[in-house]
Amino acid sequence: MVPLARRERISRYKRKKCMRLVSMQGTSEPNNVLADLPVVLEASSAPLVQALKSAAEQDVACFHFPGHNRGKAAPNLSNLTGPGAFLHDLPELPELDDLFSPKGAILDAQAEAAKLFGASETWFLVGGTTCGIQASIMATCCPGDVLILPRNAHISATSGLVLSGAVPKYILPEYNSCWDIAAGIRPSQVEAAIKELEEVGKTAAAVLITSPTYHGICSNLNEITKVCHSRCIPVIVDEAHGAHFRFHPNFPSTALEQGADLAVQSTHKVLSSLTQSSMLHMSGNLIDTERISKCLQVLQSSSPSYLLLASLDSARAQLGKNPDAIFCDAVNLSLETRKEIGTTAGVSLLDLSSFLSGFTAIDPLRITLGVSQLHISGYMADEVLWEGHRIIPELVGSSSLTFAINLGTSRKDIQRLILGVKNLSRNFFNGNKIKSDVSNGVRAPVTYSSMQLSPRDAFFAKKRRVNIRESVGEICGELICPYPPGIPVLIPGEVITEEALSYLLRVSRMGAAIRGAADHQLFSILVCSI
């Protein structure tokens, strides 16, 4: 809540600002100016960007935070970012609006975003899609409520369970052992999970679906939402990797277009806002908007970065200039890349045929290459592409690499990628006898496991450290996952299985980064003492 003294100062500031505008316009009716202000903001291509620019250009004596004083005391980082970043790094000045109670530039910027993305309401996020997922779970689930979600959901969903006190009912996604990749969730699986709860007298508070997955695989959200809405169960979609879907006919349908109630998008991934900035979109009337706002206020910083917020507004304005054609070049480059790489010996392309039927689409801008026929791991292929061609993929797996094409991808980038992949084929295919670190018959990294404690109870339970080889059968006390993609293999409250440990140790030896474990070398693991 804004203190009374500050509210009075803001009111005085707004009155003075209006009088200045009145004087400039040659009228003495401040109320008319106030009525016209929203119209002025709506006419701007990026209202929050314009407000930030105007505030930074003011000739003022600055006695507020941050301490770099509009760049006058900027540290050496300004040599990297340029002085403009610090000049525009402003706090919650009255003319810049309040993220948690927007009435001006932020309100208008969010309204423009909602219009463009087809939402009834949109919230700007400065805590990434992570805080959007957490807020969505907290807004729909109370302590003890059941949340249906895929077992390969992002780590943010697990932290949302801890924060809300909800109990998970996991659905195991289809898994392709040759690719070491999990797919999405089928409508029949969601319906079966709902019915299993109903048989024991329970109702799901919400269903969370990840679509698209990190590899671009899309679930049939249209049918899933029909199943859920027939029982008034809201559907949350982690659409972190699908913020661009609305902007080309070749892209899959968006979550909102398929009936989702909440969709959280990483605007900083395929789109062009700054890292850590995302959007939460809402549709329908199953979820209380005020509860969403309150949850976001709990989770987000009370001092949000206006650079992040303005980048969201700017990315929206960039799309809005030519929404139907802005991705045409990127789509064409992607098609060209698939055609060239698809004929390369020893390299395969992930597509829907890699899985059973039931998934509606795969993102054409996400290119996943399989390298198992080259008898090398994805981690080795990554090293070779870096050392020989300075190519950096988005995601590296045990048997694959994933490349994300976006608005900034150039033909030169594509040519370098194609050359790099062909060199991989030339060096590691055609009968070369190279010791392989890729084993056949890889077991799924996530399987059904007994949940002995809720993630929240396990998070707060007393812990003890045991040798990892002696932890099988114990209740896991920490969340452990290879990152990226940030999909947990061990979750607090689950019984530790031999399969999960074997997978973690295997991918760790192959070069995957393991996060969440107190012991980063995985010699030991924390288990719950109950």
Side-chain angles (χ1 to χ4, degrees):
M1 179 177 293
V2 181
L4 178 60
R6 175 165 167 76
R7 290 201 302 270
E8 291 176 346
R9 181 171 67 84
I10 290 174
S11 297
R12 289 197 301 272
Y13 181 93
K14 287 182 177 179
R15 285 197 296 270
K16 291 179 180 178
K17 183 177 179 182
C18 288
M19 292 305 296
R20 288 197 299 270
L21 289 169
V22 168
S23 176
M24 292 169 59
Q25 294 176 2
T27 175
S28 59
E29 295 293 335
N31 288 337
N32 292 339
V33 176
L34 283 172
D36 289 341
L37 283 176
V39 177
V40 173
L41 288 173
E42 287 178 3
S44 171
S45 61
L48 185 53
V49 172
Q50 184 57 47
L52 188 61
K53 182 177 184 294
S54 298
E57 291 173 348
Q58 294 172 343
D59 180 13
V60 297
C62 178
F63 295 96
H64 59 69
F65 300 138
H68 59 69
N69 203 305
R70 302 196 180 202
K72 300 183 186 71
N76 289 336
L77 183 64
S78 63
N79 295 331
L80 178 64
T81 65
F86 285 86
L87 176 64
H88 293 86
D89 180 32
L90 299 175
E92 291 177 286
L93 299 173
E95 64 268 36
L96 295 183
D97 207 0
D98 180 352
L99 178 61
F100 302 113
S101 182
K103 298 179 179 64
I106 293 177
L107 180 67
D108 292 318
Q110 291 184 155
E112 290 296 319
K115 186 188 306 180
L116 183 67
F117 286 93
S120 60
E121 188 156 353
T122 291
W123 292 265
F124 284 0
L125 310 176
V126 293
T129 295
T130 290
C131 83
I133 295 294
Q134 293 169 343
S136 298
I137 295 173
M138 292 174 65
T140 54
C141 299
C142 295
D145 284 349
V146 179
L147 175 70
I148 296 175
L149 72 164
R151 181 56 184 76
N152 63 331
H154 188 263
I155 185 175
S156 59
T158 304
S159 59
L161 291 169
V162 172
L163 291 167
S164 67
V167 178
K169 181 171 180 58
Y170 289 116
I171 298 175
L172 196 63
E174 182 186 338
Y175 175 75
N176 186 313
S177 61
C178 294
W179 284 89
D180 190 16
I181 288 175
I185 297 298
R186 294 187 179 83
S188 59
Q189 292 178 290
V190 175
E191 187 165 25
I194 292 173
K195 288 181 177 179
E196 287 174 9
L197 289 173
E198 291 174 343
E199 289 173 359
V200 293
K202 295 182 179 180
T203 301
V207 171
L208 186 148
I209 301 294
T210 303
S211 183
T213 66
Y214 212 141
H215 299 93
I217 301 164
C218 298
S219 297
N220 189 338
L221 297 176
N222 187 53
E223 293 301 317
I224 289 174
T225 55
K226 287 180 181 178
V227 169
C228 296
H229 289 170
S230 67
R231 297 169 171 85
C232 294
I233 299 173
V235 176
I236 305 163
V237 178
D238 177 351
E239 202 176 20
H241 294 272
H244 56 294
F245 280 2
R246 192 170 167 86
F247 305 105
H248 194 277
N250 284 16
F251 293 158
S253 298
T254 70
L256 293 184
E257 288 169 344
Q258 297 184 72
D261 301 281
L262 292 174
V264 195
Q265 298 176 341
S266 293
T267 320
H268 65 90
K269 294 192 185 299
V270 179
L271 302 184
S272 304
S273 67
L274 291 174
T275 296
Q276 197 177 311
S277 61
S278 295
M279 295 187 193
L280 170 57
H281 304 294
M282 181 177 179
S283 185
N285 55 10
L286 288 181
I287 300 173
D288 182 5
T289 58
E290 186 60 32
R291 190 169 177 181
I292 290 283
S293 297
K294 290 183 182 300
C295 291
L296 287 173
Q297 188 166 1
V298 168
L299 294 166
Q300 300 208 90
S301 170
S302 59
S303 301
S305 166
Y306 276 85
L307 289 173
L308 295 180
L309 294 172
S311 78
L312 288 169
D313 190 28
S314 183
R316 188 274 312 158
Q318 179 187 38
L319 290 167
K321 289 180 180 178
N322 193 11
D324 297 326
I326 189 170
F327 274 99
C328 284
D329 288 344
V331 169
N332 290 335
L333 288 174
S334 179
L335 292 173
E336 176 183 326
T337 306
R338 287 177 177 275
K339 182 178 179 180
E340 288 288 334
I341 292 178
T343 59
T344 304
V347 176
S348 50
L349 285 172
L350 182 74
D351 57 27
L352 291 182
S353 67
S354 304
F355 301 93
L356 299 176
S357 62
F359 304 113
T360 56
I362 190 166
D363 181 4
L365 296 189
R366 204 60 52 99
I367 298 176
T368 298
L369 308 181
V371 296
S372 58
Q373 295 179 55
L374 301 179
H375 302 290
I376 60 175
S377 70
Y379 305 107
M380 181 182 290
D382 177 43
E383 291 182 14
V384 173
L385 289 176
W386 168 250
E387 293 296 334
H389 303 275
R390 290 298 188 263
I391 294 171
I392 306 175
E394 168 57 30
L395 176 64
V396 181
S398 62
S399 303
S400 64
L401 303 97
T402 299
F403 302 87
I405 293 177
N406 52 49
L407 293 173
T409 304
S410 67
R411 181 167 296 279
K412 183 179 179 181
D413 297 329
I414 295 300
Q415 291 171 344
R416 181 185 291 192
L417 174 58
I418 292 171
L419 177 62
V421 173
K422 289 186 179 297
N423 282 342
L424 268 180
S425 173
R426 187 178 303 112
N427 293 330
F428 293 96
F429 197 58
N430 294 331
N432 288 349
K433 300 298 182 182
I434 297 177
K435 185 178 179 180
S436 172
D437 58 356
V438 180
S439 61
N440 294 323
V442 178
R443 293 190 176 186
V446 291
T447 59
Y448 284 117
S449 179
S450 173
M451 177 69 69
Q452 295 296 307
L453 295 174
S454 72
R456 181 181 179 86
D457 289 343
F459 181 86
F460 289 106
K462 291 183 178 181
K463 313 289 194 309
R464 56 188 174 88
R465 188 184 300 275
V466 300
N467 184 289
I468 195 165
R469 295 293 185 184
E470 300 172 356
S471 66
V472 175
E474 298 280 359
I475 299 174
C476 187
E478 52 188 349
L479 190 150
I480 305 177
C481 61
Y483 203 99
I487 295 169
V489 173
L490 290 175
I491 290 176
E494 284 185 337
V495 174
I496 298 172
T497 64
E498 181 68 40
E499 291 81 4
L501 289 184
S502 296
Y503 182 85
L504 279 173
L505 292 173
R506 177 176 171 274
V507 297
S508 178
R509 287 194 300 268
M510 293 171 68
I514 307 298
R515 295 193 183 180
D519 181 355
H520 301 300
Q521 294 181 307
L522 289 183
F523 294 139
S524 63
I525 190 170
L526 294 178
V527 299
C528 296
S529 298
I530 58 172

